[in-house]
Amino acid sequence: MGQEDRQLHASTFGAAATAYAEHRPDYAQAAVRWALEPARGPRVLDLGAGTGKLTATLVALGAEVVAVEPDPAMLAELRRALPGVRSLPGSAEAIPLPDASVDAVLAGHALHWFDMAVAGPEIARVLVSGGILAGLWNVLDNRVDWVAELERVGGSAAIGPRDTLSGWRAETAAAHLPGDGVAGRFGSPEQAEFPHGQRRTADSLVAALATRAGVLVMAEREREATLGRIRALLASRPETARGEFTLPMLTGVLRVHQP
């Protein structure tokens, strides 16, 4: 995806901020602990914090968190949910923090939206020497038959390779790199995933998938057709047709160190 397309997709979330806050999952605490394990201190920047899904997990783990988010509607939802957290307007490409002011920078479902040619130096600037950069993604376990069928029916706009257990590692392995021939500012990546199943209903799963950027940018007719196919599948499967079920999911983490 080119930079213009990436910016277009990333800019869609504000219109769905309330639904995003209600239906998107949080992150496995074990995954966040692993991301922060090598950090030299408790100061963490949640970059591209959205409505605060990752921020809340960081708070629960006792981190000293500052959240930075560019979209005003998403930031408003974060402030409503977490009024005690310091939260600032800003972006990965223009971080409103001083040099060497945090021990770790974490990004939940956001690192792939950053222009790392610009964001990489900015992230390196605010990190202490030896600081940690980590991206986290919630991914569906497509080893499970009905989840693999959901992936097929929903299409890549709703469930792309980055959103699945089979694809997320390859899709994110270079997410910390600028991608323009410029040397990266971080060391070699480490990746791990942690179980994070979610209780869902068919309606809440459809609502969550409707907040995916690829779905948000669809024309209305195409979006309704895609969500209709997903609803029909969920109604046809014994695992999902009645009441609540567990959505097989994991939190994947990419972790790199600043030299």
Side-chain angles (χ1 to χ4, degrees):
M1 183 184 296
Q3 182 61 20
E4 287 188 9
D5 287 339
R6 188 159 59 240
Q7 290 175 344
L8 172 63
H9 281 66
S11 69
T12 61
F13 293 116
T18 301
Y20 195 107
E22 181 177 357
H23 297 294
R24 283 290 186 107
D26 59 3
Y27 296 86
Q29 287 195 0
V32 179
R33 287 193 192 97
W34 186 83
L36 294 175
E37 191 175 50
R40 298 182 176 183
R43 300 170 301 169
V44 181
L45 166 60
D46 182 1
L47 188 56
T51 62
K53 296 292 185 176
L54 177 56
T55 316
T57 305
L58 287 164
V59 169
L61 292 176
E64 297 175 11
V65 190
V66 58
V68 169
E69 166 57 36
D71 188 278
M74 300 286 273
L75 187 60
E77 287 289 339
L78 187 155
R79 288 172 169 169
R80 181 189 60 77
L82 299 165
V85 171
R86 183 185 177 203
S87 55
L88 303 170
S91 69
E93 296 77 19
I95 301 172
L97 293 179
D99 295 358
S101 57
V102 295
D103 302 295
V105 174
L106 268 59
H109 271 278
L111 189 60
H112 54 276
W113 298 125
F114 301 166
D115 177 2
M116 288 302 291
V118 181
E122 268 292 88
I123 292 168
R125 178 185 66 79
V126 301
L127 277 171
V128 299
S129 177
I132 300 300
L133 168 64
L136 296 91
W137 293 267
N138 284 317
V139 299
L140 301 181
D141 189 348
N142 57 351
R143 295 172 300 184
V144 177
D145 287 347
W146 75 263
V147 176
E149 191 173 357
L150 177 67
E151 177 189 7
R152 180 185 61 78
V153 167
S156 61
I159 304 173
R162 190 179 57 238
D163 304 314
T164 64
L165 179 60
S166 66
W168 84 272
R169 284 181 175 245
E171 290 292 315
T172 65
H176 61 295
L177 297 174
D180 58 1
V182 177
R185 292 178 174 261
F186 303 94
S188 299
E190 303 170 274
Q191 292 173 296
E193 58 264 330
F194 302 83
H196 194 44
Q198 298 282 302
R199 294 298 290 171
R200 292 290 189 187
T201 63
D203 286 345
S204 69
L205 178 52
V206 171
L209 293 174
T211 67
R212 296 290 179 94
V215 177
L216 291 170
V217 299
M218 286 178 174
E220 183 175 358
R221 180 176 296 181
E222 183 184 5
R223 182 169 55 250
E224 287 305 314
T226 297
L227 297 178
R229 290 195 303 271
I230 293 170
R231 288 190 191 94
L233 170 66
L234 296 175
S236 73
R237 294 287 310 210
E239 301 93 337
T240 58
R242 295 182 180 84
E244 287 194 343
F245 55 87
T246 297
L247 175 64
M249 196 172 70
L250 305 95
T251 298
V253 188
L254 167 79
R255 182 177 73 187
V256 293
H257 297 70
Q258 176 161 262

